[in-house]
Amino acid sequence: MKRRAPATAAARTTAAKLTEDLVAANRILAEHGVVDGYGHVSVRHERDPNRYRLSRSLAPELVAASDIMEYDLDSNPLDATGRAMYLERFIHGEIYRVRPDVTAIVHHHSPAVIPFAATTAPLRPLYHMSAFVGEGVPVFEIRAAAGMTDMLIRDAALGRALARTLGQHPAALMRGHGAVVVGADLPLAVGRSIYLELNARLQVQTIALGGDVTYLDPEEVSKVVAVQDYARAWELWKRKALAK
Ligand SMILES: [Zn+2]
C-alpha cells in the first residue's frame, strides 16, 4: 500500500466532519425506518476519489466514528484491523467506480419500496419532496445477472451488474431485496432515501383512493430537482441524531 502525504490540519478537519456526517447519516436513516439492523451508507473519500468510507459490519443505529473504515474501489479494506465487513460493500465500490458525480450511497431494505420492485407498476413522482423519482428508478433483477442466488450483492460482478442497472439514475430498486440511492453528497443521498420511502407509501395510498392520479410532470420534476438539496432538513436530522 502506498503511503499518503501527511494530512494538513485543514484536511484533517474536513475528514473529521465527513466522518461525523457519515455517523449522523447512519443514525438518521435508522431514525426514519429506512434502515433497521441492516442496510448501510457510505461516502467517497474527500481527497482520494478511489476510496470510500463505510462502517464496519454493524447495525446503522449503533455506528460511531471509531467504526468507520476505508475501502478502495475493489471494496478491499485499507484499515481493517480485524473488523468485520459488510458483505454487500461491493454495491458502493462498483457504483463509485462508474459514477464520478456520486459522493454518497445508501443501500437499504426500506419496506414501502419493496412492492414496487415486485410488480410491473412503476414508482412515480407523487410530490415535490421526492421529485427525483421522476428521473427514473429502474428495477434490478438479480436473476438476469446471476440466475438463482441468495439475493445479496456478495461480489464485484453483482455490484457491477447493479451499477449498470442504476445507470445515471438517482436510485434503483432491487427486486425481492431493497434499493440503492445515490447523491452528490450525504444530505442528498439520505434525503432521497427518506423521501423514496414516503413517495412509495403515498403512491399506494393515492392509488387506493381511486380516481385518476396526477403525478409530477417531467418539467416540474426537472425544476424541483435543480434546487432540491434537503439542506434544512439535514441540519435538523443531524442535530437530533448526534444529540443521542
Ligand atoms: Zn441488502
Side-chain angles (χ1 to χ4, degrees):
M1 188 176 23
K2 265 192 297 185
R3 283 182 70 87
R4 272 182 292 171
T8 63
R12 275 196 300 271
T13 306
T14 309
K17 183 185 174 294
L18 262 191
T19 297
E20 183 183 86
D21 281 357
L22 184 56
V23 169
N26 274 277
R27 298 182 190 174
I28 291 164
L29 291 164
E31 173 71 28
H32 286 83
V34 173
V35 295
D36 48 17
Y38 300 96
H40 23 89
V41 50
S42 70
V43 68
R44 199 192 287 270
H45 195 281
E46 70 283 359
R47 282 178 295 133
D48 184 349
N50 295 316
R51 294 180 185 205
Y52 65 92
R53 291 196 175 92
L54 175 71
S55 170
R56 73 182 170 95
S57 181
L58 189 65
E61 197 169 354
L62 302 179
V63 169
S66 58
D67 299 309
I68 305 297
M69 297 171 59
E70 278 189 33
Y71 291 91
D72 64 20
L73 295 190
D74 293 327
S75 297
N76 292 317
L78 301 171
D79 55 354
T81 59
R83 291 179 285 185
M85 298 177 283
Y86 289 126
L87 190 62
E88 296 193 287
R89 61 191 181 278
F90 303 99
I91 292 171
H92 304 265
E94 298 307 322
I95 292 174
Y96 286 129
R97 195 192 301 282
V98 296
R99 288 285 300 270
D101 61 309
V102 167
T103 295
I105 300 174
V106 180
H107 167 57
H108 61 73
H109 312 148
S110 186
V113 307
I114 305 293
F116 287 95
T119 100
T120 54
L123 196 60
R124 295 183 63 185
L126 194 84
Y127 77 146
H128 67 119
M129 294 308 294
S130 48
F132 70 93
V133 169
E135 295 190 315
V137 180
V139 177
F140 176 66
E141 173 48 80
I142 196 166
R143 287 182 201 167
M148 296 298 154
T149 63
D150 65 0
M151 311 302 290
L152 301 180
I153 307 297
R154 53 170 65 243
D155 60 33
L158 283 167
R160 279 195 294 276
L162 175 59
R164 266 197 303 277
T165 295
L166 175 68
Q168 295 304 307
H169 297 98
L173 307 187
M174 301 157 74
R175 195 267 309 157
H177 182 166
V180 62
V181 181
V182 302
D185 56 27
L186 277 168
L188 203 55
V190 168
R192 283 174 170 174
S193 299
I194 289 168
Y195 288 106
L196 186 74
E197 166 73 10
L198 281 171
N199 191 96
R201 217 183 296 162
L202 294 173
Q203 189 176 334
V204 170
Q205 287 175 13
T206 306
I207 291 168
L209 285 173
D212 294 334
V213 181
T214 303
Y215 296 100
L216 264 62
D217 183 88
E219 199 175 335
E220 292 171 327
V221 166
S222 57
K223 284 181 169 166
V224 177
V225 167
V227 297
Q228 194 150 57
D229 58 12
Y230 304 113
R232 195 199 318 168
W234 172 261
E235 190 185 347
L236 167 70
W237 294 334
K238 183 178 167 181
R239 191 178 304 181
K240 285 169 76 174
L242 296 182
K244 283 187 180 173

PDB file of all heavy atoms in Angstrom, residues 10-23:
ATOM      1  N   ALA A  10      -6.176  21.350   7.857  1.00  0.00           N
ATOM      2  CA  ALA A  10      -7.462  21.604   7.176  1.00  0.00           C
ATOM      3  C   ALA A  10      -8.053  20.296   6.655  1.00  0.00           C
ATOM      4  O   ALA A  10      -9.262  20.057   6.766  1.00  0.00           O
ATOM      5  CB  ALA A  10      -7.256  22.590   6.034  1.00  0.00           C
ATOM      6  N   ALA A  11      -7.189  19.431   6.098  1.00  0.00           N
ATOM      7  CA  ALA A  11      -7.668  18.153   5.562  1.00  0.00           C
ATOM      8  C   ALA A  11      -8.197  17.273   6.688  1.00  0.00           C
ATOM      9  O   ALA A  11      -9.208  16.586   6.531  1.00  0.00           O
ATOM     10  CB  ALA A  11      -6.542  17.444   4.815  1.00  0.00           C
ATOM     11  N   ARG A  12      -7.496  17.329   7.837  1.00  0.00           N
ATOM     12  CA  ARG A  12      -7.974  16.534   8.988  1.00  0.00           C
ATOM     13  C   ARG A  12      -9.341  17.015   9.448  1.00  0.00           C
ATOM     14  O   ARG A  12     -10.204  16.227   9.798  1.00  0.00           O
ATOM     15  CB  ARG A  12      -6.958  16.611  10.142  1.00  0.00           C
ATOM     16  CG  ARG A  12      -5.827  15.588  10.023  1.00  0.00           C
ATOM     17  CD  ARG A  12      -5.088  15.426  11.348  1.00  0.00           C
ATOM     18  NE  ARG A  12      -4.486  16.669  11.791  1.00  0.00           N
ATOM     19  CZ  ARG A  12      -3.256  17.070  11.447  1.00  0.00           C
ATOM     20  NH1 ARG A  12      -2.523  16.333  10.641  1.00  0.00           N
ATOM     21  NH2 ARG A  12      -2.769  18.220  11.889  1.00  0.00           N
ATOM     22  N   THR A  13      -9.555  18.336   9.400  1.00  0.00           N
ATOM     23  CA  THR A  13     -10.852  18.894   9.795  1.00  0.00           C
ATOM     24  C   THR A  13     -11.942  18.428   8.840  1.00  0.00           C
ATOM     25  O   THR A  13     -13.026  18.031   9.255  1.00  0.00           O
ATOM     26  CB  THR A  13     -10.783  20.441   9.798  1.00  0.00           C
ATOM     27  OG1 THR A  13      -9.679  20.818  10.622  1.00  0.00           O
ATOM     28  CG2 THR A  13     -12.049  21.049  10.347  1.00  0.00           C
ATOM     29  N   THR A  14     -11.661  18.477   7.530  1.00  0.00           N
ATOM     30  CA  THR A  14     -12.633  18.018   6.531  1.00  0.00           C
ATOM     31  C   THR A  14     -12.961  16.550   6.743  1.00  0.00           C
ATOM     32  O   THR A  14     -14.124  16.139   6.713  1.00  0.00           O
ATOM     33  CB  THR A  14     -12.075  18.220   5.106  1.00  0.00           C
ATOM     34  OG1 THR A  14     -11.621  19.557   4.996  1.00  0.00           O
ATOM     35  CG2 THR A  14     -13.137  17.964   4.053  1.00  0.00           C
ATOM     36  N   ALA A  15     -11.926  15.747   6.959  1.00  0.00           N
ATOM     37  CA  ALA A  15     -12.133  14.305   7.160  1.00  0.00           C
ATOM     38  C   ALA A  15     -12.975  14.056   8.410  1.00  0.00           C
ATOM     39  O   ALA A  15     -13.887  13.223   8.397  1.00  0.00           O
ATOM     40  CB  ALA A  15     -10.787  13.601   7.278  1.00  0.00           C
ATOM     41  N   ALA A  16     -12.690  14.798   9.474  1.00  0.00           N
ATOM     42  CA  ALA A  16     -13.442  14.617  10.720  1.00  0.00           C
ATOM     43  C   ALA A  16     -14.909  14.995  10.525  1.00  0.00           C
ATOM     44  O   ALA A  16     -15.808  14.323  11.030  1.00  0.00           O
ATOM     45  CB  ALA A  16     -12.825  15.456  11.831  1.00  0.00           C
ATOM     46  N   LYS A  17     -15.147  16.060   9.739  1.00  0.00           N
ATOM     47  CA  LYS A  17     -16.531  16.489   9.507  1.00  0.00           C
ATOM     48  C   LYS A  17     -17.280  15.443   8.673  1.00  0.00           C
ATOM     49  O   LYS A  17     -18.433  15.132   8.946  1.00  0.00           O
ATOM     50  CB  LYS A  17     -16.573  17.844   8.813  1.00  0.00           C
ATOM     51  CG  LYS A  17     -18.012  18.329   8.640  1.00  0.00           C
ATOM     52  CD  LYS A  17     -18.159  19.598   7.860  1.00  0.00           C
ATOM     53  CE  LYS A  17     -19.641  19.905   7.627  1.00  0.00           C
ATOM     54  NZ  LYS A  17     -20.309  18.928   6.758  1.00  0.00           N
ATOM     55  N   LEU A  18     -16.605  14.908   7.648  1.00  0.00           N
ATOM     56  CA  LEU A  18     -17.251  13.890   6.813  1.00  0.00           C
ATOM     57  C   LEU A  18     -17.567  12.632   7.625  1.00  0.00           C
ATOM     58  O   LEU A  18     -18.616  12.015   7.441  1.00  0.00           O
ATOM     59  CB  LEU A  18     -16.345  13.517   5.633  1.00  0.00           C
ATOM     60  CG  LEU A  18     -16.621  14.192   4.301  1.00  0.00           C
ATOM     61  CD1 LEU A  18     -15.817  13.510   3.206  1.00  0.00           C
ATOM     62  CD2 LEU A  18     -18.099  14.176   3.926  1.00  0.00           C
ATOM     63  N   THR A  19     -16.644  12.258   8.499  1.00  0.00           N
ATOM     64  CA  THR A  19     -16.884  11.099   9.358  1.00  0.00           C
ATOM     65  C   THR A  19     -18.070  11.366  10.274  1.00  0.00           C
ATOM     66  O   THR A  19     -18.940  10.510  10.447  1.00  0.00           O
ATOM     67  CB  THR A  19     -15.619  10.766  10.179  1.00  0.00           C
ATOM     68  OG1 THR A  19     -14.575  10.414   9.267  1.00  0.00           O
ATOM     69  CG2 THR A  19     -15.856   9.616  11.135  1.00  0.00           C
ATOM     70  N   GLU A  20     -18.124  12.576  10.839  1.00  0.00           N
ATOM     71  CA  GLU A  20     -19.257  12.949  11.695  1.00  0.00           C
ATOM     72  C   GLU A  20     -20.566  12.897  10.911  1.00  0.00           C
ATOM     73  O   GLU A  20     -21.579  12.383  11.380  1.00  0.00           O
ATOM     74  CB  GLU A  20     -19.030  14.367  12.244  1.00  0.00           C
ATOM     75  CG  GLU A  20     -20.114  14.832  13.191  1.00  0.00           C
ATOM     76  CD  GLU A  20     -19.882  16.266  13.636  1.00  0.00           C
ATOM     77  OE1 GLU A  20     -20.302  17.203  12.926  1.00  0.00           O
ATOM     78  OE2 GLU A  20     -19.268  16.447  14.703  1.00  0.00           O
ATOM     79  N   ASP A  21     -20.524  13.416   9.672  1.00  0.00           N
ATOM     80  CA  ASP A  21     -21.725  13.382   8.824  1.00  0.00           C
ATOM     81  C   ASP A  21     -22.135  11.939   8.509  1.00  0.00           C
ATOM     82  O   ASP A  21     -23.322  11.624   8.435  1.00  0.00           O
ATOM     83  CB  ASP A  21     -21.472  14.134   7.508  1.00  0.00           C
ATOM     84  CG  ASP A  21     -21.563  15.647   7.681  1.00  0.00           C
ATOM     85  OD1 ASP A  21     -21.881  16.102   8.794  1.00  0.00           O
ATOM     86  OD2 ASP A  21     -21.310  16.367   6.693  1.00  0.00           O
ATOM     87  N   LEU A  22     -21.141  11.085   8.302  1.00  0.00           N
ATOM     88  CA  LEU A  22     -21.446   9.686   7.980  1.00  0.00           C
ATOM     89  C   LEU A  22     -22.069   8.972   9.182  1.00  0.00           C
ATOM     90  O   LEU A  22     -23.016   8.196   9.021  1.00  0.00           O
ATOM     91  CB  LEU A  22     -20.171   8.967   7.506  1.00  0.00           C
ATOM     92  CG  LEU A  22     -20.340   7.524   7.035  1.00  0.00           C
ATOM     93  CD1 LEU A  22     -21.373   7.414   5.912  1.00  0.00           C
ATOM     94  CD2 LEU A  22     -18.993   6.966   6.568  1.00  0.00           C
ATOM     95  N   VAL A  23     -21.552   9.252  10.363  1.00  0.00           N
ATOM     96  CA  VAL A  23     -22.145   8.695  11.589  1.00  0.00           C
ATOM     97  C   VAL A  23     -23.589   9.190  11.714  1.00  0.00           C
ATOM     98  O   VAL A  23     -24.517   8.410  11.957  1.00  0.00           O
ATOM     99  CB  VAL A  23     -21.317   9.091  12.831  1.00  0.00           C
ATOM    100  CG1 VAL A  23     -22.062   8.757  14.117  1.00  0.00           C
ATOM    101  CG2 VAL A  23     -19.954   8.398  12.797  1.00  0.00           C
TER     102      VAL A  23
END
